[in-house]
Amino acid sequence: MDNCIDRSVRWADPPTGATARIEIQPEALRRNFTVLRDLCAEHGIAISGVTKGVGGHPDVARLMLEAGIHSLADARLENIRRMRVGGITAPIHLLRPPGLGEIADAVRLADLIFVSNRTTIDAIAHHARATGCTAKIAPMVDLGDMREGVPPGDLPELTDHARALDGVEMTGLGTNFACHTGLLPTRENLAVFAGLTEQVENRIGRMLEIVSGGNSAALLAMNRGEFPPKITHLRLGESLLFGTEAAQGSAIPGTRGDGFVIAAEILETWNRDTDICGPRTRNALGEEVSFKVSGRRHMAVLGIGAVDTVISGLAAVDPNVEVLGFSSDHTVVDISNARRFKPGDLLRFVPSYSALATAMSSPYLCSRTLKG
């Protein structure tokens, strides 16, 4: 009997019959993109649509651009490359400083590079000169989130250094909030950032094209009228994709939270007694497990696990489905109070931002853009 394995299939081929997939729903996303575009425009703020939460998915990028968001941004060069290969020619900003081994791709693929390390700026300038171009850069300033960024007191020296280099042009300035330490924007620290912007503009003798005052965590401050006139730009990801501002997690009026759904196939269904006696240890992920249910329950085993996404970030569309636990490749749900499901059926979940970002980068999940 011939072996049925197709030896010609490469390991990197995308899954065609995956047990879990991400469904992209354009109608919901268009609503969010339009609402945020108009809201920010009322305050004189331009948007860069951050695509790292969707792994640089070209379909989502195109929806942003069609909605009137004129530039995109991502932290991963691989995502920017994916968009370029997918036909995206709009301006794309590189949010994370490139490693020294990524300089050539950063200069080639990104229209603006957020960077604040002198060594990296020197490397960008060197490569740009060698290729006969000028790379646009925007230093990041750390106001207390303690991630990337130059300390405010070091900004003048960095500005003078960059201004003296051939191959780079400082066209922007940025800062960050609520990513590492949870620092929130306030009237006071935003005023500090505006003052630093004025200092930079005085040193270089011209206005900066982009003064980026933060991310989705800055929307509440913007709505409260706390943005100085100098701030003209935001980098928005979570708010565009899920319709929520990131400071308090509240829904933005007029938006939708169902732009993405993760569908997982049921592999098995069983009636099981959850009151099991006997010694137990930690599970395969090193966690202690305690069941939320007792007695005999009807359960389903799904073809999705911790290597695919953040399972704790999944909310079942059917309120009668409850996640009981998971391992690296399986998730167990209680379907006792739901309609009768069988192997091969799909259960759908709305992911959190972190669950979506992880799922979009998983090689085991495929994505499908629905009509709408």
Side-chain angles (χ1 to χ4, degrees):
M1 184 175 180
D2 292 338
N3 194 314
C4 63
I5 297 176
D6 182 358
R7 303 288 182 183
S8 67
V9 175
R10 303 183 306 276
W11 72 270
D13 284 346
T16 56
T19 57
R21 68 174 184 241
I22 306 151
E23 296 175 348
I24 303 170
Q25 311 203 60
E27 183 179 351
L29 294 178
R30 287 193 192 97
R31 170 78 66 83
N32 292 355
F33 299 163
T34 302
V35 168
L36 266 297
R37 178 203 66 196
D38 292 345
L39 176 63
C40 289
E42 291 175 7
H43 296 270
I45 300 296
I47 296 173
S48 285
V50 177
T51 55
K52 64 181 181 179
V54 293
H57 199 295
D59 286 354
V60 178
R62 272 188 286 272
L63 288 171
M64 289 183 180
L65 297 171
E66 290 168 2
I69 295 171
H70 299 298
S71 65
L72 306 169
D74 206 293
R76 304 273 180 170
L77 277 168
E78 187 56 41
N79 292 344
I80 297 178
R81 183 180 294 106
R82 182 184 183 188
M83 288 188 280
R84 295 303 193 201
V85 171
I88 303 299
T89 59
I92 304 179
H93 305 163
L94 178 59
L95 296 176
R96 189 175 71 174
L100 294 182
E102 298 178 312
I103 298 297
D105 283 341
V107 172
R108 180 172 59 90
L109 295 171
D111 297 273
L112 176 69
I113 304 171
F114 283 91
V115 61
S116 42
N117 178 279
R118 180 168 173 166
T119 300
T120 308
I121 293 173
D122 288 346
I124 292 172
H126 175 78
H127 182 81
R129 289 194 303 269
T131 54
C133 68
T134 299
K136 293 184 177 182
I137 62 171
M140 290 289 287
V141 181
D142 177 31
L143 297 178
D145 197 48
M146 298 186 188
R147 201 177 65 177
E148 81 280 23
V150 60
D154 295 343
L155 183 60
E157 181 183 353
L158 186 74
T159 300
D160 291 343
H161 179 75
R163 185 180 56 172
L165 290 174
D166 291 329
V168 293
E169 179 185 6
M170 185 185 296
T171 61
L173 197 67
T175 193
N176 198 52
F177 295 104
C179 279
H180 180 209
T181 66
L183 177 75
L184 289 174
T186 64
R187 193 180 299 274
E188 291 73 24
N189 56 30
L190 290 170
V192 169
F193 181 58
L196 292 170
T197 301
E198 291 180 353
Q199 291 179 27
V200 169
E201 290 178 338
N202 288 336
R203 296 183 92 87
I204 65 176
R206 54 181 166 78
M207 304 287 285
L208 293 171
E209 297 174 13
I210 290 178
V211 180
S212 191
N215 48 26
S216 294
L219 287 171
L220 285 182
M222 182 191 74
N223 279 333
R224 290 194 297 260
E226 296 177 357
F227 271 22
K230 275 291 178 186
I231 295 178
T232 58
H233 179 269
L234 286 175
R235 313 174 303 278
L236 301 184
E238 181 176 351
S239 54
L240 288 173
L241 301 177
F242 289 94
T244 55
E245 56 79 28
Q248 297 179 352
S250 57
I252 298 167
T255 62
R256 292 173 53 174
D258 60 344
F260 301 90
V261 172
I262 292 180
E265 182 179 345
I266 295 176
L267 305 180
E268 300 177 357
T269 59
W270 301 97
N271 289 311
R272 284 183 167 148
D273 188 350
T274 61
D275 301 317
I276 301 175
C277 297
R280 297 191 183 194
T281 185
R282 297 176 184 270
N283 66 12
L285 300 176
E287 301 170 340
E288 293 184 357
V289 177
S290 59
F291 271 5
K292 305 174 186 176
V293 296
S294 61
R296 194 163 182 79
R297 308 296 296 178
H298 191 48
M299 300 182 185
V301 179
L302 308 181
I304 192 171
V307 299
D308 303 300
T309 187
V310 180
I311 301 297
S312 60
L314 301 182
V317 172
D318 185 337
N320 295 312
V321 172
E322 181 180 7
V323 175
L324 296 180
F326 56 91
S327 62
S328 57
D329 303 292
H330 305 80
T331 294
V332 179
V333 297
D334 187 339
I335 55 173
S336 303
N337 300 321
R339 70 175 179 85
R340 288 295 167 179
F341 290 101
K342 63 183 184 302
D345 289 344
L346 294 175
L347 290 182
R348 288 180 164 81
F349 302 84
V350 175
S352 65
Y353 181 81
S354 60
L356 175 67
T358 307
M360 279 290 192
S361 64
S362 171
Y364 305 115
L365 272 66
C366 60
S367 59
R368 184 177 72 167
T369 303
L370 305 181
K371 294 181 179 179

